[in-house]
Structure formats: structure tokens, C-alpha cells
Amino acid sequence: MQKIIDIVKDYLTRETNNALLITGEWGVGKTYFFNNILSKEIEKVSTKENESVKYKPIRVSLSGVTSIDDIERRIVEELYPSLNKGLKWGKGILKFVLSVPKIKEYIPEIPNSDVIGSETDNLVICFDDLERRSKTFPIDSLIGYINNLTENNNLKTIIIANTNKIEDESFDEIKEKLIGREIEYKINIEEVFDTLIQSEFQGFRQFIDFCSKEKNFICSFFQDYKNIRTLKFILTRYHDIYSQIEKIAHSIQYIQSNKEVLLKDTLLFTIAIAIEHKKGKITRNSKEEVDNKIRITRKNLEKYFNKQPSSKQEIKEEDKTILETIKSKYYNENNFSYFFYESIFDYIIGLNVLDEDLLDKDIKEKYKISKDNTIPESYKLYNQIDSDEVFSMSNDTYKQLLKEMLSYVDKGEYGLEDYLFVYSFVLDFNNPLKIKEKTLKKRIIKGIKKGKDKFAYTPKLQRIILHSKEVNEDENLKEIADLCLTINGEKELEKNKKDGANLINILKNDFAHFEHQVKHKYNNIPIFAYINGKTIFKFYNDNRDLRIRLFEVFNHRYIYYEEGVLQKEKDFYTKLQQSIEKKANQLKLGPEWYSYTTFNELLEKIIDTSNKKTSN
């Protein structure tokens, strides 16, 4: 940076009729450097003709420009605030401004030459984003225009561009006529990092201290990928995540004690998702693929000690899934286990603001924290086994932990999804307990049946198992998974029946709350599959004043339905439609007949849609 500053200062103090070109890759911070550092240095330089007159820099983006008139309009837009403040510009600049077409449309009152005085021209124009001009605007016309400014108007001009992205083959030949010197903008990521945290987070000393402590860790991901925009994006987003974790830690003792590990884990996840998203590798549609909260084996940690995998383990980069790429690029080398934070993913990708409740839920799920903000003894042990702490243990200590974990399995103390982990934990590291796989399977299945009454429905269990290669490759693990899915299905049925009954109570006592629940909480859940259509008919029949609103609830569901929801609710709509149609036929006329008929038509559309989806 200092080298560029010195070159620019030398350029400003010499008699020249050419421009300077600062080139560099996208995202390395060229524009940031000009706006925040170089422009301030330019303002310190006196013109050659008059020591008391300092240069005045402006930056003009060429992104999307289609013509010379377009460029001149942008120049005026940048100049106008300065002119309006009464700054004195030389006669050459006044002549230049007055020559802009339709100038009166931009600046109603142009200062005359008497007001301007006779100071030397002191404008420095920085033309940024040269490579982003409109493809319809020939590069030779653009360069010719800038060349005219340097030769005929004696303007000092700086061009910022990523010349590697300029596709016009004639550019190299054309630029020789204009460019006096070309400078490559290279950054020291550590210096930029220091500048960013000090300038962007003034007043947040605790976060600055955290960033400083993790400086080498964060910067390690930007040694090859030198993108300052992405770095700034990560730091800004993680500041919000950091602040929320600090709040959560105050109310949960376990998080307070393990806060440093959690902060680094969430920071790593933020970095991985943000970089891959900015590279275009992760999109809104990638969520299901990277949402894998079950890590069946500890292969990632084992690879940390085996940097040269056998040919059987080797996977070509192009054959890797997004999740495998993330793990290999970010997690293996840093000895971290991958955990999907839905709240952070949504925030980074732009699906949602940072949902504080969802972040709290993610963290509690990771550490198996119960509703009273404590961790059962069974899960304290589980977390210990599922951490990098095992690499600091003796074999005897680790074996003892496994035995204690199995004693909790015998009592059915774990959640449905956890038994898949337990199976793999016991067999990890060459099966320290020397237990037969079938024997382990039977013991786990017995424990699952023992704890059946304690389980709660886990919505993502089926998808998580579906994405697990290990389940499909191990018959014993598959048998455990199948039992978990069966029980999970029973728990889903129990939950939905209970929720359905609760929704009917809400309907009878608080219709506005019913509307909200159906449109938001149950928008992608087939809740009406667990409700009798005749119950809704009776409510519709008994509440004339709410008929229109109830119609709107189902009309909204029909318009915004999720795939599969209407099909599962088909029997409900069929029974309701039959009752509504029968009543309409009895009425035959009048406003009530019209209400029933309109509702009947909607229900027929819904049934027709569900039939089509079913046949497909």
C-alpha cells in the first residue's frame, strides 16, 4: 500500500499527460483502499503550481456505463457536492464542467469565473471498475475519452481495474497510449485484517480482542483467496453471532464454561459457508445437502492424523458433495467436527435475519442441553466422547467412558438420533471394547425399546439417515436406523394428533390465533389430516361472522401449499366438501347459499389438485 501511495504522490507532483493504472483481483480491496486510504493521502498533496492548493480526489464508477454522456453525468454527480460547498476550482475545470451536456439539469447555479478565481486545476479523477463497463460501450472509445482528459484538460487520472477480466483483445495495445504506469495492488491480509477490525468495530472492544486472538486462524483462510469483501462480510456477520452467543452463555453454565470452543466452532462454520457462498458453490438450494447434523463416524478426525489417505479413501475434487468439500477444506485441517447451524446458514445465505431463538436452539441441540438449561449426566458423558478431548485421553480412560455410555444406553437415556452415534462411537478407533457388531446392535435396540416412552418426534431424522452413507453400508446400523424411523413415525403420529386436537380448541376460542397457526406454524405440515372434516363444517355452519375468514384460511393454504401437504390432507377435504355441498344444495339461494357454494368450489379445486399430485 505504501508503495502505491508513493507512486501516486510522485505522479501528482510531476508534469504528465497520462494516467496511472492500479490493477488487482476482484475483492482484494482496491476500492476500499482508494476510498479510505489513498484519497486521504492525495488530499495532503499540493499542486505543483500552488503550494496552498491541495488536490481534490473523486471516484467515478464505470460499472455499467454505456456512453461518454453517461460517464460525464456520473462525474457531475460526484463533483456537485463539492461545488455546492463553494470550493474553488480552476478555470479549466469550470470549462470542463460547463461542457457537460445538460449541465443545468444537474447544477442549477454554476459559479462564474470571478467566483472561481485563478487557482490551478486540482482535480484527481479515479475511474473505477473499468472492466465492468457495458459490453456495448467499446473499450477504445472509453480509453480515448480518458486520454482526452489527461492530454487536453491536464487532469490527473487514476484507473482501477481487474485487467484479467477485460476480454477485449485490443486493450493491451490501446492502453499503451494512456497508461504511464501500471501498479498491481497486492495486499497483506494481516494488515488489512487489523485495519478492518479497528475501523469497523470501534466501541466493541471485547469483539476486537476476540478477533485479534483469532487473527491467524481467520487469516489462514485468506492466504490464497484474498477477497477483502468476503472477509469484511464474515467479520460483520460474525459480530452479530458473537454478541448473541455472549447473551446465551450468561444463562447456561455449560456454554459459559465451553464458550471459547463454541465461539471458534461457530466462527469456522461462518467462514466456511460465507466463502463457499461468495464463490457461488453454496446457494439457497444447498441447505438440505449441508444440513447433516449427524456425523455417523469420526473419519474426519482420523484424517487429521492421516494426511496421506490410501487410494481407496481418495476422492476426486469434482466428485465430492458440497458437504464433503466443506469438511475437507475447512474442518479436517482444523481438527473440528462438523455441525450444521441452521440459524447461521440462513443468516449468511440471506434466507433470514439472525434468528436468535433458532441460534439458541441450535446450540442446545449441539450440546444436548435440556429445557431447564442443564445437561443430563448421560449427555455430559456423550459430549465428552464426541469431542476432540478423546485425543488427550489414555486408552483405559476412553474405554471406561464407553462402558459408562453403554450403561446409559441400557436405561434408554439417549434420544433416537443419538443411538446411531453410540454405535459408531463404540466401534471407532478399532473397537477398543472388542465388542461384536451384532452384540452391540442388539444391546442398542434393547435400550431403544426401553426408552421408547421418553422419545420425542425428531422432524429431520429421516432426511439425516437418508444422507448417511454409513447407514446404507452397515446392516447392523441400518437395523438400528430402521427401528428409530419406525418409532419416530409413531411419535410423529402422536404429536400431530395432539396438535390437531389443540388446533381445534384454538379455533373455538381464538380464531385469530388459529389463522396465524395454520398460515405459519403448520404451513408445511399436513395438520388437517389429523382433524375431522365434520368438525370444521360444524364450526363453519355455526359461525356466520367467521365464514369469510375461514374461507380465506383454506384459500391461503391452497395458494401457498407445500409439496405433499394437500395430498396427505385429501380425506379431510373430501369429507368437508361433501358436508358443504350438501348444505349448499339444501339452501339453493341467498347469501348463505352463495357462501357455501363458493367454499365448495374452493374445496373441489383443492381435492382436484391433490388428485393430480397423487397420480403424478
Side-chain angles (χ1 to χ4, degrees):
M1 291 183 186
Q2 188 56 50
K3 178 182 178 182
I4 295 175
I5 291 170
D6 292 341
I7 292 173
V8 169
K9 285 183 176 181
D10 180 69
Y11 166 72
L12 294 177
T13 55
R14 290 180 181 274
E15 212 48 76
T16 62
N17 61 354
N18 51 36
L20 281 180
L21 172 63
I22 300 175
T23 184
E25 295 295 319
W26 282 340
V28 295
K30 301 185 298 294
T31 300
Y32 181 89
F33 169 65
F34 178 83
N35 288 339
N36 295 277
I37 300 173
L38 185 57
S39 60
K40 293 179 174 59
E41 294 296 326
I42 290 173
E43 290 171 349
K44 298 176 184 177
V45 180
S46 299
T47 62
K48 184 180 178 183
E49 290 77 9
N50 191 331
E51 184 69 26
S52 64
V53 178
K54 306 294 184 182
Y55 278 108
K56 299 294 180 183
I58 63 169
R59 175 184 157 272
V60 177
S61 174
L62 299 176
S63 179
V65 294
T66 57
S67 65
I68 290 174
D69 285 350
D70 194 5
I71 297 175
E72 291 183 334
R73 279 193 292 270
R74 297 189 186 195
I75 292 173
V76 170
E77 288 169 2
E78 293 297 327
L79 280 173
Y80 175 63
S82 298
L83 289 171
N84 198 41
K85 293 176 184 176
L87 291 178
K88 295 182 178 181
W89 299 89
K91 291 181 180 179
I93 297 304
L94 177 61
K95 181 181 178 181
F96 166 71
V97 173
L98 288 171
S99 70
V100 176
K102 300 180 181 179
I103 186 65
K104 288 290 184 180
E105 293 181 13
Y106 303 101
I107 307 176
E109 296 180 4
I110 299 294
N112 56 44
S113 58
D114 293 334
V115 175
I116 295 296
S118 59
E119 285 87 350
T120 305
D121 297 352
N122 63 336
L123 181 64
V124 177
I125 301 181
C126 172
F127 290 106
D128 198 359
D129 304 313
L130 179 68
E131 72 279 11
R132 289 190 170 100
R133 78 193 191 287
S134 171
K135 292 182 179 179
T136 61
F137 191 8
I139 190 73
D140 56 342
S141 297
L142 175 56
I143 295 298
Y145 172 74
I146 298 176
N147 186 55
N148 182 60
L149 297 182
T150 61
E151 286 193 350
N152 299 329
N153 293 90
N154 298 315
L155 283 177
K156 298 292 186 180
T157 57
I158 299 170
I159 300 173
I160 294 179
N162 179 358
T163 54
N164 292 329
K165 297 296 181 179
I166 298 177
E167 298 175 357
D168 196 304
E169 295 179 359
S170 63
F171 174 69
D172 287 337
E173 181 181 343
I174 295 171
K175 75 175 183 179
E176 294 299 326
K177 301 175 183 179
L178 171 65
I179 307 303
R181 188 165 184 178
E182 181 175 343
I183 319 160
E184 184 176 2
Y185 180 77
K186 293 182 178 180
I187 60 169
N188 180 310
I189 195 68
E190 286 77 13
E191 289 180 4
V192 173
F193 181 87
D194 292 337
T195 302
L196 273 177
I197 63 172
Q198 294 300 330
S199 62
E200 297 294 327
F201 304 107
Q202 290 183 20
F204 298 99
R205 173 48 54 189
Q206 191 174 354
F207 183 67
I208 290 176
D209 291 343
F210 169 79
C211 289
S212 298
K213 180 181 177 183
E214 300 298 340
K215 174 180 175 179
N216 292 338
F217 177 71
I218 298 171
C219 290
S220 67
F221 299 98
F222 290 88
Q223 297 306 318
D224 297 321
Y225 177 65
K226 296 183 181 294
N227 194 302
I228 305 307
R229 277 197 294 269
T230 301
L231 175 60
K232 183 179 178 181
F233 174 83
I234 289 170
L235 293 173
T236 302
R237 291 294 188 275
Y238 193 72
H239 177 241
D240 295 336
I241 298 165
Y242 173 91
S243 300
Q244 186 56 28
I245 290 175
E246 286 289 341
K247 292 179 185 177
I248 294 171
H250 286 303
S251 59
I252 304 175
Q253 180 58 45
Y254 184 86
I255 300 300
Q256 186 64 42
S257 303
N258 294 273
K259 187 173 67 176
E260 287 190 13
V261 175
L262 175 61
L263 286 172
K264 195 157 184 176
D265 187 48
T266 51
L267 174 61
L268 178 57
F269 183 79
T270 301
I271 290 171
I273 298 300
I275 290 178
E276 295 306 309
H277 174 54
K278 292 299 183 181
K279 286 181 175 181
K281 304 295 185 182
I282 292 179
T283 67
R284 291 167 175 246
N285 298 325
S286 307
K287 186 172 182 176
E288 184 171 323
E289 187 171 352
V290 298
D291 178 5
N292 184 359
K293 289 187 178 177
I294 286 192
R295 178 179 56 81
I296 301 299
T297 69
R298 202 182 256 112
K299 288 180 180 177
N300 287 336
L301 294 177
E302 291 174 2
K303 286 180 183 177
Y304 179 74
F305 293 97
N306 183 15
K307 301 295 179 61
Q308 301 297 328
S310 66
S311 57
K312 184 179 179 181
Q313 291 175 313
E314 288 176 353
I315 303 175
K316 292 181 180 179
E317 199 66 37
E318 60 269 24
D319 294 334
K320 289 181 180 178
T321 64
I322 296 175
L323 184 56
E324 287 171 339
T325 298
I326 290 173
K327 288 180 178 179
S328 63
K329 286 177 66 175
Y330 300 92
Y331 283 81
N332 294 352
E333 294 298 316
N334 290 288
N335 202 16
F336 268 86
S337 302
Y338 177 82
F339 181 84
F340 177 80
Y341 295 90
E342 183 178 4
S343 54
I344 297 177
F345 180 90
D346 288 354
Y347 186 39
I348 297 300
I349 300 300
L351 291 170
N352 197 2
V353 296
L354 181 61
D355 188 327
E356 297 177 356
D357 292 335
L358 184 56
L359 178 60
D360 183 76
K361 180 182 176 183
D362 284 339
I363 292 172
K364 286 181 177 178
E365 181 178 342
K366 176 179 174 63
Y367 292 109
K368 310 297 182 183
I369 298 171
S370 60
K371 291 181 179 179
D372 62 356
N373 288 342
T374 61
I375 302 181
E377 291 301 318
S378 58
Y379 279 111
K380 288 181 181 177
L381 178 68
Y382 180 99
N383 290 338
Q384 201 174 359
I385 293 173
D386 188 32
S387 72
D388 303 341
E389 185 182 340
V390 297
F391 295 108
S392 302
M393 296 178 186
S394 67
N395 284 349
D396 289 341
T397 300
Y398 184 70
K399 286 164 65 176
Q400 183 58 36
L401 289 179
L402 292 179
K403 290 177 182 178
E404 291 178 24
M405 180 177 68
L406 287 174
S407 70
Y408 285 115
V409 169
D410 295 336
K411 301 173 188 176
E413 293 291 325
Y414 293 112
L416 276 174
E417 68 277 16
D418 302 317
Y419 289 101
L420 300 170
F421 277 126
V422 168
Y423 177 85
S424 296
F425 288 164
V426 174
L427 299 179
D428 274 345
F429 308 122
N430 204 25
N431 192 357
L433 296 180
K434 299 302 177 186
I435 187 171
K436 292 182 179 180
E437 293 178 9
K438 285 189 177 180
T439 301
L440 176 61
K441 174 198 70 176
K442 290 178 181 178
R443 187 170 179 179
I444 290 175
I445 286 177
K446 185 176 180 181
I448 291 173
K449 292 178 178 179
K450 176 93 172 179
K452 185 175 180 179
D453 293 339
K454 304 174 187 177
F455 299 141
Y457 170 57
T458 305
K460 296 181 180 180
L461 182 62
Q462 184 170 359
R463 190 171 73 206
I464 289 170
I465 290 176
L466 183 65
H467 281 283
S468 170
K469 294 180 181 179
E470 290 87 347
V471 168
N472 296 319
E473 294 171 355
D474 188 321
E475 291 183 4
N476 295 301
L477 192 58
K478 189 175 187 306
E479 194 171 334
I480 295 170
D482 288 343
L483 177 60
C484 290
L485 286 175
T486 299
I487 294 175
N488 199 49
E490 294 172 2
K491 295 299 176 180
E492 179 185 18
L493 183 61
E494 291 174 10
K495 180 181 183 300
N496 287 337
K497 284 182 177 179
K498 184 177 179 181
D499 286 356
N502 183 54
L503 190 61
I504 292 299
N505 288 330
I506 294 173
L507 171 66
K508 294 176 180 178
N509 298 297
D510 187 348
F511 190 83
H513 187 37
F514 169 82
E515 286 178 306
H516 186 271
Q517 291 284 89
V518 174
K519 290 181 180 180
H520 299 282
K521 182 177 180 180
Y522 297 111
N523 64 311
N524 60 352
I525 298 173
I527 190 64
F528 289 104
Y530 306 94
I531 293 175
N532 193 319
K534 292 182 177 180
T535 303
I536 298 297
F537 169 75
K538 186 176 186 311
F539 181 87
Y540 185 87
N541 198 50
D542 295 343
N543 295 271
R544 291 191 185 91
D545 58 327
L546 292 174
R547 285 175 184 171
I548 294 176
R549 290 175 66 183
L550 187 60
F551 171 89
E552 287 299 331
V553 168
F554 287 103
N555 189 48
H556 180 277
R557 197 166 186 80
Y558 172 62
I559 295 171
Y560 299 104
Y561 70 90
E562 294 281 340
E563 191 71 31
V565 171
L566 297 186
Q567 295 94 300
K568 292 179 180 178
E569 296 177 336
K570 179 182 172 183
D571 289 344
F572 164 81
Y573 293 118
T574 300
K575 290 180 181 178
L576 177 58
Q577 183 270 329
Q578 290 170 351
S579 299
I580 293 292
E581 184 179 42
K582 182 178 179 180
K583 183 69 175 180
N585 291 335
Q586 291 173 354
L587 291 168
K588 295 184 180 179
L589 50 81
E592 280 197 272
W593 164 82
Y594 181 80
S595 297
Y596 278 89
T597 300
T598 305
F599 194 16
N600 183 59
E601 290 173 354
L602 171 63
L603 293 170
E604 286 178 338
K605 287 181 184 178
I606 295 175
I607 294 168
D608 184 55
T609 299
S610 64
N611 283 332
K612 289 178 181 178
K613 293 293 181 182
T614 302
S615 62
N616 290 338

